[in-house]
Amino acid sequence: MAETKGKFDFAIDRGGTFTDVFARLPDGRERVLKLLSRDPQNYKDAPTEGIRRVLEEETGRVFPREQPVDTSLIGWIRMGTTVATNALLEREGERTALLVTQGFKDLLHIGTQARPKLFDLEVAVPEVLYEEVIEVDERVVLRQDGCQLPRKDPKRTVTGSTGDSLEVWRELDLERVEKDLRGVLSRGITSLAVLLLHSYTWSDHEKAVGALARRLGFTQVSLSSEVMPMVRAVPRGYTVCADAYLTPKIHQYLKGFTSGFKGGLKDVDVLFMQSDGGLTPMEQFCGSRAVLSGPAGGVVGYAITSYSQMEKKPVIGFDMGGTSTDVSRYAGQYEHVFEATTAGVTLQAPQLDINTVAAGGGSRLFFRSGMFVVGPESAGAHPGPACYRKGGPLTVTDANLALGRLLPSFFPKIFGPGENEPLSLEETMKHFRHLTREINLFLSSNQPQVGKNGANHSHDSTSGMSVEEVAMGFIRVANEAMCRPIRALTQAKGHDTSQHVLACFGGAGGQHACAIARALGMKTVFIHKYSGVLSAYGLALADVVEEVQEPCSLQYEQRSFGKLNQRVEQLSKRCRDTLCARGFISAQITTEVFLHLRYEGTDCALMVTSAGYPSNAQSCQAGDFRSAFTKRYLKEFGFTIPDRPIMVDDIRVRGCGKSGIKSVHKTKMGHGQAKPVTVTKCYFEEGHLDTSVYLWEELPCGHSIPGPAIIIDKNSTILVEPSCEAHLTEGGDVCLSVGSDRHCALGTELNTVQLSIFSHRFMSIAEQMGRVLQRTSISTNIKERLDFSCAVFGPDGGLVSNAPHIPVHLGAMQETVQYQIKSLGTKLKEGDVILSNHPCAGGSHLPDLTVITPVFRKGVSSPVFFVASRGHHADIGGITPGSMPPHSTSLQQEGAVFTSFKLVTGGVFQEEAVTEALMAPAQYPDCSGTRNLHDNLSDLRAQVAANQRGSQLVGELIDSYGLTVVQAYMGYIQSNAELAVRDMLRDFARRRRHQTGSLEVESEDFMDDGTPIRLRVQINEEEGSAVFDFTGTGTEVWGNCNAPRAITLSALIYCLRCMVGQDIPLNQGCLTPIKVIIPPGSILQPSQNAAVVGGNVLTSQRVVDVIFRAFEVCAASQGCMNNISFGSQRVGYYETVAGGAGAGPGWNGRSGVHSHMTNTRITDPEILEKRYPVVLEQFSLRPGSGGAGRYCGGDGVIRKLLFRSKVVLSVLTERRSTRPYGLQGGEDGAAGLNLLHRADGRVLNLGAKTSVSIQPGDMFCLYTPGGGGYGKEDDANRRPLTKRRRLNETFPERGSVFEYRMAQEGV
């Protein structure tokens, strides 16, 4: 199919800024061309113009611009395009309506209920893609064996495509739907997305609505059951909305594109690249599968050109562009994800795992509180970097120019207002000189300062830093920022980063490739001759792909293989038939079968192929999936669960029609040495060095060029660093051999560049510990909900770095470590590991078990560092399952208690002793020991393993730099956080003094039982310090809302970080300028046996409210986590529920979102109903519950659970009698309400905290509080005018590494 002899073939990647064209000419030669994607003065459409130019230049015939292009000479056209991505980023898709099951109109607004940025008080969540919602009166529920509902029989029982049995409770009312749809059409909306609950398995209702909508004249109708039939309504809903929103835009673009050719390209084979790396015919190209169309070509390009079937060495793709960098991995198979977020929209569709980081050539450079910062803000294409002569800011590109790594004389003259000038070195140097003065001023004014940690602030030389040192510093910090996702992407799946080849492409990557490879321990960098247009070249190499997928509910076992084989064969036949219809012959077609498998009772499903595992007597016909699954599970997670059944969630078949061209090698063996065109001065660690400059096209193959050197071609610049060597392969590609890192000796004086790098390194240690913990743990809480954090501490127990940022863990672990140092002191020996959870020892609540490992160093008697991990264990005994009792009155009722327990002694895990301690609560009245000992022990071992990894990484850091240097920089990082907090307090004090003349602020708020929490803050403007005095706060309470001291410190660090308003290291330094006074015996420092479970989840929120009220930062958010749990002997479930966020100066509060000290995701409605004995009757916003004001508070939510069997329901809530306060004249938000509708018709108010026995047919109705309003309402009802930002400025990141971090912060 790819052979079109005697014709021109084109592969074109239409990017945001440039369009790249790869053309194969009739005589077999290849041409590449780059042109601007938008140039309305000269042409309408860039791809058409690229084709026209090649045809005109190669044939000598005239192809006039204003006439359609003659297609008789064109064989095929393949395209990748950012049309869909840009429509999503700019929110310029088609006007769309959503049709959804009644009770769920706000489901996609609420989404997972987690906020994207933990410390942003203005919760910026991308708006939904639809304009209107129609609720449909229909309901289908899954049939459950143990269901005891006393309701009349369902209308009918049906069987879904998964084999599940379903009950139709309410039939579809098509008459009403028709009336509603006509109304939508009359308002000019012609695109419709349909999402009905459980339609992934039974789609009759969706299909009926779809047929009706098409008959009425909707031009685009997207059904969730057709777009992506996978369980989980929220991501399926986002995907179907994206499809309805983007597909018309794609069709519009295609119509415009084809109109530029004679006969509308009827006789030309036109294919488009999809997000999964496969090509599809133009007419099949749709919105939900088009979002990664652009970058997918690049992945195919490097995968095919740089992966060697012989050596089988895995490759990391590194595509550095202007605003961001894409990182991906290839090891013989494309790595796909099935759910990823782009521009704030989660899409459930097969897509290549491309990880985007906000660091590119256009990333801006900042110096903040003594630290070098790169990005995430970008200069964009306009105005662009400073050197573009359009008044832009300093960027990474400018830093490369200042160091002599970019040569203006080799760039086209397309810059400046008239777009006719060269790159401006003067403009760049002017900006850098200004920034260098600012940095040196900071260094000199901070020179005499010695931080509390004894870190001495001075720079290496008395004269300060030079412009080159500053530029070099920013490059090193940018490189470290790009290394972090590469480490995460490889280590997350158990791979060694250094064993990869770095394949570098994109305009900006060549300047950084050597440094990044060296930092990651890689020895080889591969840069293809078409690296500047690799996405276009990848399209020419790609295959046509047809994918089909169906949900499934079978167990992977002998009994199911017959059914499984039959379904796999049906799907494979569908793939083959479709590809045959597209002109492929059988010999060109291959199919690959994937099963989406998980262990029963877990959520960690893996999409598994049986490649390398042929079928046998114990497997299905498509291959030995059990072996493939267990091998991969072991690799990724470090263990398997041998006796647990394996479930098949989905069956997927990927059919490929082989159609890519073969990569043609043209060898041009050289005789004689490569000749440099010039020699320039370039700045490296060693200073300025003579650097030879070569033109790529003039280089003879087979020759080597030692660094330092620069290799230039039309589209990219490659920097060969000292101790590296470039080699030109037979195919004309560049292969770089990377020399080892020459560690220049680093002293203990402060070097501001190294400060930023050490900050990244310490964070990276905590992140890698977290990866080990998640991979090796077994419980849902830690493995899937990611309810844990890991941290590194100094020898004094002071926090250095912590990841992820779970607000309630922020400062609390430091207290735990410092308690152990005080209580155990010299008794701590190498090979010991401590377990602790007691509130008086820095614990938050008992289920959070902290495991602490001291790090020893040869020749040093005491620990040089500590590493620790804190994980939420689902049960550790006590009076209720889950160890979160709403009515506990003493600590013993909440579970097992550990103060300074030696979990490991001399390297031996103390299983017997810890088992005894976990079972100990059974000795108290009405209490039980742990109900899940197996998971407790497994997770504790995983925590020990995570600490072991942290200890090893700290050791490696010390090996590299020496103990004194690492400890000095630990101190500097803490001082840096201290500095940022002092600056914030001075700034607040100045404003306060001007407004009121006083440097004292105070506030109070109340718990529902009337207990006051009082705060008085005295600020010292000169020092930038403050005293936070909670004297006057109420006494310890009978109940469990007592909050240990550690909780108040966590809330305080959270508030300080929000008020600083920029990324700072969250460590002990944040609290150095703060003195905290808490009266002993109060609710914030209770006695040692006080019950505390509610303090962690409720009182912590009130402490935040009180601090923000004192500083007048914003109105109160809902001030509650709405802890709801239910359970029986068979089942247990726990959730926290969103509410309204408070408004602030310039923003409305977000509705239906978690705020402040929690950010937990909520279980998807379909998963909830599939696994638990409930039906979710309603989950929507609670209109009018947000406080009115100039800026309105966010609304709470309404959540109604109908129970299908007997359970015990527990609620632990606040703000049921007190209301979230408004600020500056804004009104209070509404209080929450917990109602129980009994099956017999009685309605009961349950109050804020209770446990109650539930009968089948009872319904729990939760109304969560709204947020407070801000400002008087006189100029109200004006929604605030917020500047419309491109969403990639606000939400630039994507990929599995980003999803993992979001999930972690969603705890």
Side-chain angles (χ1 to χ4, degrees):
M1 180 166 173
E3 291 308 312
T4 50
K5 291 208 168 54
K7 293 201 171 187
F8 289 83
D9 298 325
F10 294 94
I12 304 172
D13 176 42
R14 185 188 184 279
T17 312
F18 289 106
T19 290
D20 298 336
V21 180
F22 167 84
R24 194 171 57 163
L25 313 181
D27 59 6
R29 283 181 304 128
E30 296 171 352
R31 268 198 66 169
V32 295
L33 180 72
K34 217 178 184 63
L35 63 165
L36 285 168
S37 290
R38 298 183 106 139
D39 189 355
Q41 272 81 39
N42 292 310
Y43 45 80
K44 272 199 314 207
D45 176 68
T48 312
E49 172 67 9
I51 291 172
R52 193 194 66 75
R53 281 186 199 176
V54 171
L55 290 174
E56 194 166 84
E57 288 165 23
E58 292 296 334
T59 63
R61 283 169 45 194
V62 177
F63 285 78
R65 265 191 192 141
E66 55 288 350
Q67 289 178 18
V69 177
D70 176 11
T71 58
S72 60
L73 293 175
I74 301 175
W76 49 248
I77 299 173
R78 298 164 164 221
M79 274 180 65
T81 172
T82 53
V83 169
T85 323
N86 289 341
L88 203 53
L89 289 170
E90 305 280 9
R91 290 296 193 261
E92 286 178 352
E94 192 68 20
R95 293 179 65 198
T96 302
L98 168 68
L99 190 138
V100 69
T101 302
Q102 195 163 331
F104 296 91
K105 71 173 189 297
D106 302 309
L107 183 65
L108 300 186
H109 172 97
I110 300 166
T112 65
Q113 77 180 8
R115 58 195 188 277
K117 292 187 177 170
L118 210 52
F119 302 106
D120 282 8
L121 296 172
E122 177 189 358
V123 181
V125 177
E127 286 310 310
V128 290
L129 299 178
Y130 50 83
E131 234 177 87
E132 284 197 30
V133 186
I134 301 170
E135 287 192 282
V136 189
D137 187 18
E138 67 85 47
R139 192 62 158 101
V140 177
V141 298
L142 288 165
R143 191 164 185 180
Q144 282 184 356
D145 289 344
C147 180
Q148 302 159 355
L149 273 178
R151 61 187 298 148
K152 59 184 183 302
D153 287 338
K155 296 270 191 301
R156 58 189 166 125
T157 303
V158 294
T159 303
S161 63
T162 54
D164 288 316
S165 194
L166 298 99
E167 297 175 352
V168 180
W169 280 9
R170 290 200 301 278
E171 292 285 4
L172 185 64
D173 180 355
L174 273 174
E175 271 178 38
R176 200 183 121 198
V177 173
E178 180 168 347
K179 192 171 143 231
D180 291 339
L181 287 178
R182 286 188 188 280
V184 167
L185 276 172
S186 71
R187 290 184 286 280
I189 297 174
T190 58
S191 193
L192 183 70
V194 183
L195 170 68
L196 302 181
L197 289 193
H198 300 295
S199 61
Y200 68 92
T201 179
W202 189 74
S203 57
D204 289 25
H205 281 180
E206 273 198 1
K207 283 180 176 149
V209 170
L212 171 65
R214 289 187 186 100
R215 200 184 76 224
L216 292 176
F218 279 87
T219 52
Q220 174 66 37
V221 179
S222 299
L223 307 181
S224 77
S225 52
E226 288 174 359
V227 172
M228 199 61 197
M230 282 178 95
V231 67
R232 292 176 58 224
V234 172
R236 194 171 76 251
Y238 284 140
T239 309
V240 74
C241 286
D243 197 74
Y245 184 73
L246 298 175
T247 304
K249 281 287 165 197
I250 288 172
H251 289 164
Q252 204 177 316
Y253 172 72
L254 294 179
K255 197 173 163 191
F257 172 63
T258 52
S259 69
F261 295 86
K262 277 190 183 152
L265 287 172
K266 263 198 190 57
D267 302 323
V268 178
D269 184 29
V270 185
L271 297 167
F272 273 77
M273 176 57 81
Q274 301 188 106
S275 303
D276 63 0
L279 295 162
T280 192
M282 179 164 68
E283 52 282 357
Q284 307 286 319
F285 191 47
C286 67
S288 55
R289 302 212 169 192
V291 169
L292 294 186
S293 173
V299 175
V300 174
Y302 86 74
I304 292 176
T305 56
S306 38
Y307 180 77
S308 152
Q309 288 297 340
M310 300 287 287
E311 293 174 24
K312 295 206 175 338
K313 202 163 186 192
V315 187
I316 292 288
F318 177 73
D319 175 7
M320 185 175 175
T323 50
S324 61
T325 296
D326 287 341
V327 173
S328 54
R329 180 177 182 275
Y330 182 81
Q333 271 189 331
Y334 293 114
E335 299 196 349
H336 288 103
V337 287
F338 293 85
E339 198 174 297
T341 306
T342 301
V345 177
T346 304
L347 296 180
Q348 209 180 30
Q351 44 205 306
L352 290 168
D353 186 13
I354 300 172
N355 290 269
T356 303
V357 241
S363 292
R364 294 181 58 183
L365 313 180
F366 304 95
F367 183 73
R368 289 183 185 144
S369 308
M371 205 174 241
F372 280 54
V373 179
V374 177
E377 299 88 341
S378 166
H382 297 286
C387 58
Y388 281 18
R389 300 177 183 264
K390 288 185 182 170
L394 274 182
T395 66
V396 172
T397 299
D398 291 298
N400 278 313
L401 183 63
L403 297 172
R405 298 168 173 205
L406 291 178
L407 306 172
S409 56
F410 289 91
F411 272 76
K413 295 185 176 177
I414 54 169
F415 304 100
E419 302 194 345
N420 56 357
E421 297 176 76
L423 281 176
S424 168
L425 180 61
E426 309 80 72
E427 200 60 38
T428 290
M429 294 311 272
K430 189 176 90 186
H431 278 71
F432 262 119
R433 281 192 289 272
H434 178 79
L435 182 60
T436 304
R437 277 196 297 276
E438 186 190 313
I439 290 171
N440 286 332
L441 187 68
F442 173 88
L443 291 172
S444 59
S445 62
N446 282 281
Q447 215 158 21
Q449 270 195 25
V450 176
K452 290 277 191 300
N453 39 53
N456 186 13
H457 292 254
S458 72
H459 203 265
D460 337 34
S461 67
T462 45
S463 59
M465 297 180 79
S466 68
V467 166
E468 288 80 7
E469 284 172 337
V470 168
M472 188 71 187
F474 279 114
I475 293 291
R476 294 181 59 193
V477 172
N479 288 344
E480 188 58 41
M482 290 183 280
C483 285
R484 258 170 76 182
I486 298 177
R487 284 193 195 105
L489 183 68
T490 47
Q491 289 160 356
K493 307 237 171 88
H495 308 298
D496 179 352
T497 315
S498 65
Q499 297 306 305
H500 290 67
V501 171
L502 190 70
C504 182
F505 57 106
Q511 297 140 43
H512 298 259
C514 286
I516 281 174
R518 180 183 284 141
L520 295 166
M522 296 178 180
K523 296 285 177 276
T524 312
V525 177
F526 182 84
I527 306 177
H528 192 268
K529 64 180 173 188
Y530 294 141
S531 66
V533 295
L534 197 64
S535 289
Y537 188 54
L539 295 168
L541 301 174
D543 293 323
V544 176
V545 168
E546 171 65 19
E547 282 220 1
V548 283
Q549 183 170 324
E550 278 185 0
C552 179
S553 286
L554 294 170
Q555 194 173 317
Y556 188 82
E557 57 176 355
Q558 204 79 38
R559 279 186 315 188
S560 313
F561 290 158
K563 257 189 199 155
L564 209 52
N565 293 337
Q566 188 185 351
R567 289 184 63 183
V568 165
E569 187 42 51
Q570 283 168 353
L571 294 180
S572 302
K573 185 175 183 309
R574 254 170 66 189
C575 273
R576 284 194 297 271
D577 290 352
T578 306
L579 289 169
C580 287
R582 289 180 192 161
F584 289 95
I585 56 170
S586 302
Q588 294 172 310
I589 298 173
T590 58
T591 57
E592 189 172 10
V593 179
F594 295 83
L595 297 183
H596 204 197
L597 302 172
R598 62 182 170 83
Y599 283 120
E600 191 176 45
T602 73
D603 268 338
C604 274
L606 297 176
M607 189 65 80
V608 177
T609 165
S610 63
Y613 297 91
S615 61
N616 56 41
Q618 272 74 52
S619 78
C620 64
Q621 284 166 7
D624 182 3
F625 282 92
R626 182 184 299 279
S627 301
F629 173 71
T630 47
K631 181 89 182 282
R632 189 162 144 213
Y633 203 90
L634 184 66
K635 173 99 178 157
E636 287 198 25
F637 302 125
F639 67 94
T640 59
I641 318 175
D643 45 356
R644 189 81 65 90
I646 296 171
M647 306 305 294
V648 185
D649 278 349
D650 300 275
I651 304 167
R652 167 182 166 228
V653 178
R654 183 178 172 88
C656 277
K658 294 284 173 209
S659 62
I661 64 168
K662 293 288 169 280
S663 191
V664 184
H665 287 302
K666 289 220 173 21
T667 47
K668 162 183 84 159
M669 292 310 282
H671 306 291
Q673 253 338 89
K675 296 268 193 311
V677 287
T678 180
V679 175
T680 184
K681 287 273 188 220
C682 219
Y683 189 88
F684 296 96
E685 300 284 341
E686 300 86 339
H688 279 105
L689 298 177
D690 283 341
T691 303
S692 303
V693 180
Y694 299 88
L695 292 178
W696 194 338
E697 68 240 29
E698 290 179 10
L699 289 179
C701 300
H703 274 297
S704 297
I705 297 168
I710 291 176
I711 300 173
I712 291 179
D713 84 340
K714 289 197 294 286
N715 303 317
S716 52
T717 300
I718 300 169
L719 180 73
V720 187
E721 296 203 2
S723 81
C724 298
E725 191 171 50
H727 176 77
L728 213 70
T729 68
E730 290 181 356
D733 310 316
V734 171
C735 194
L736 297 172
S737 304
V738 182
S740 57
D741 202 349
R742 313 165 311 291
H743 251 314
C744 46
L746 188 63
T748 54
E749 317 80 34
L750 171 65
N751 174 322
T752 45
V753 176
Q754 286 291 352
L755 177 66
S756 300
I757 290 171
F758 266 101
S759 178
H760 276 295
R761 294 299 281 277
F762 280 125
M763 275 304 286
S764 187
I765 291 173
E767 285 167 357
Q768 289 182 61
M769 287 171 68
R771 286 294 196 171
V772 171
L773 178 51
Q774 189 231 357
R775 278 180 48 215
T776 54
S777 63
I778 200 166
S779 70
T780 302
N781 261 358
I782 295 181
K783 184 170 221 63
E784 290 154 23
R785 285 189 57 238
L786 308 179
D787 194 347
F788 64 81
S789 30
C790 299
V792 180
F793 304 85
D796 61 348
L799 178 64
V800 182
S801 67
N802 159 254
H805 298 321
I806 293 178
V808 84
H809 291 180
L810 280 177
M813 266 205 280
Q814 167 175 314
E815 295 269 304
T816 309
V817 176
Q818 288 173 335
Y819 179 91
Q820 306 310 325
I821 294 172
K822 278 197 211 89
S823 88
L824 296 173
T826 53
K827 292 182 197 153
L828 276 173
K829 298 280 179 279
E830 192 159 3
D832 287 353
V833 179
I834 310 302
L835 171 61
S836 179
N837 68 348
H838 198 296
C840 76
S844 44
H845 63 168
L846 296 186
D848 278 345
L849 296 184
T850 306
V851 173
I852 302 160
T853 303
V855 180
F856 285 88
R857 194 82 186 153
K858 226 189 187 113
V860 186
S861 59
S862 58
V864 294
F865 276 90
F866 288 86
V867 289
S869 52
R870 176 172 281 186
H872 184 115
H873 287 241
D875 197 301
I876 52 159
I879 51 178
T880 58
S883 307
M884 296 274 291
H887 48 277
S888 53
T889 52
S890 73
L891 193 65
Q892 286 68 30
Q893 295 174 329
E894 295 177 356
V897 179
F898 302 91
T899 308
S900 299
F901 182 90
K902 284 205 175 176
L903 180 64
V904 177
T905 307
V908 181
F909 188 80
Q910 304 295 305
E911 183 166 344
E912 206 172 298
V914 76
T915 300
E916 192 179 314
L918 284 165
M919 300 313 291
Q923 65 191 305
Y924 299 104
D926 303 324
C927 290
S928 153
T930 177
R931 299 163 183 86
N932 205 341
L933 180 64
H934 175 259
D935 282 12
N936 294 138
L937 294 175
S938 298
D939 286 351
L940 285 171
R941 281 200 177 88
Q943 286 177 260
V944 172
N947 288 7
Q948 183 58 36
R949 177 69 178 145
S951 177
Q952 180 194 339
L953 290 167
V954 169
E956 286 172 15
L957 200 57
I958 294 171
D959 289 342
S960 294
Y961 292 97
L963 178 61
T964 50
V965 171
V966 175
Q967 288 191 335
Y969 275 92
M970 173 204 81
Y972 294 137
I973 287 168
Q974 291 172 332
S975 300
N976 178 256
E978 174 188 336
L979 203 66
V981 172
R982 287 188 191 277
D983 287 347
M984 182 273 292
L985 289 170
R986 283 191 194 105
D987 188 44
F988 176 79
R990 267 193 300 276
R991 289 199 316 272
R992 181 80 187 167
R993 191 162 39 78
H994 288 311
Q995 286 164 1
T996 65
S998 157
L999 290 184
E1000 197 172 283
V1001 293
E1002 56 185 15
S1003 71
E1004 75 173 348
D1005 205 339
F1006 296 87
M1007 302 294 287
D1008 276 348
D1009 64 2
T1011 302
I1013 294 179
R1014 293 207 175 99
L1015 171 64
R1016 198 157 141 241
V1017 185
Q1018 286 170 302
I1019 300 167
N1020 180 323
E1021 185 179 350
E1022 197 182 328
E1023 285 183 8
S1025 63
V1027 177
F1028 280 67
D1029 186 351
F1030 288 92
T1031 303
T1033 292
T1035 59
E1036 178 182 318
V1037 295
W1038 175 255
N1040 57 26
C1041 280
N1042 303 296
R1045 178 185 166 83
I1047 294 290
T1048 302
L1049 296 184
S1050 295
L1052 183 51
I1053 286 190
Y1054 168 78
C1055 293
L1056 291 170
R1057 166 63 185 83
C1058 290
M1059 291 191 285
V1060 167
Q1062 65 189 40
D1063 261 342
I1064 59 168
L1066 290 173
N1067 56 43
Q1068 133 173 317
C1070 294
L1071 292 178
T1072 304
I1074 307 288
K1075 182 182 178 193
V1076 183
I1077 300 169
I1078 304 176
S1082 70
I1083 190 173
L1084 299 183
Q1085 194 164 332
S1087 61
Q1088 65 173 23
N1089 285 323
V1092 296
V1093 72
N1096 185 56
V1097 291
L1098 300 175
T1099 314
S1100 60
Q1101 296 280 41
R1102 196 66 68 261
V1103 174
V1104 171
D1105 289 341
V1106 169
I1107 296 171
F1108 282 155
R1109 191 176 209 167
F1111 283 85
E1112 298 185 348
V1113 174
C1114 59
S1117 292
Q1118 66 159 336
C1120 174
M1121 297 187 194
N1122 303 300
N1123 302 271
I1124 309 300
S1125 58
F1126 59 81
S1128 62
Q1129 290 304 310
R1130 282 188 321 107
V1131 73
Y1133 176 74
Y1134 169 69
E1135 68 182 17
T1136 62
V1137 185
W1147 76 82
N1148 290 317
R1150 170 85 182 170
S1151 301
V1153 73
H1154 261 319
S1155 45
H1156 304 324
M1157 299 301 282
T1158 186
N1159 201 24
T1160 325
R1161 297 177 170 205
I1162 194 132
T1163 306
D1164 189 89
E1166 289 177 345
I1167 296 287
L1168 180 72
E1169 294 189 357
K1170 194 175 167 80
R1171 298 200 186 157
Y1172 301 99
V1174 289
V1175 172
L1176 185 61
E1177 289 279 5
Q1178 186 180 347
F1179 187 33
S1180 60
L1181 297 180
R1182 183 186 174 197
S1185 54
R1190 180 173 179 190
Y1191 301 110
C1192 303
D1195 287 333
V1197 304
I1198 302 170
R1199 190 165 171 87
K1200 298 183 177 179
L1201 293 169
L1202 174 71
F1203 290 93
R1204 304 177 76 168
S1205 64
K1206 289 182 183 176
V1207 292
V1208 173
L1209 170 73
S1210 299
V1211 292
L1212 184 55
T1213 59
E1214 268 287 321
R1215 290 284 194 212
R1216 294 311 188 257
S1217 54
T1218 64
R1219 295 170 61 175
Y1221 60 79
L1223 210 56
Q1224 304 288 0
E1227 289 184 15
D1228 294 349
L1233 181 64
N1234 304 331
L1235 295 181
L1236 180 63
H1237 291 248
R1238 287 286 193 195
D1240 62 10
R1242 278 187 309 151
V1243 180
L1244 310 172
N1245 183 341
L1246 294 179
K1249 299 167 187 68
T1250 191
S1251 263
V1252 58
S1253 291
I1254 295 291
Q1255 297 300 315
D1258 290 351
M1259 183 158 68
F1260 173 61
C1261 300
L1262 172 70
Y1263 300 84
T1264 68
Y1270 188 95
K1272 288 201 179 67
E1273 213 180 341
D1274 37 335
D1275 13 80
N1277 305 330
R1278 276 210 332 247
R1279 295 309 260 187
L1281 293 167
T1282 47
K1283 191 165 111 269
R1284 260 198 73 197
R1285 290 174 289 188
R1286 261 181 73 95
L1287 281 164
N1288 60 340
E1289 290 170 26
T1290 349
F1291 304 95
E1293 298 180 70
R1294 67 171 319 284
S1296 61
V1297 174
F1298 167 70
E1299 296 294 333
Y1300 175 80
R1301 199 179 73 243
M1302 286 295 96
Q1304 277 187 311
E1305 293 186 354
V1307 173

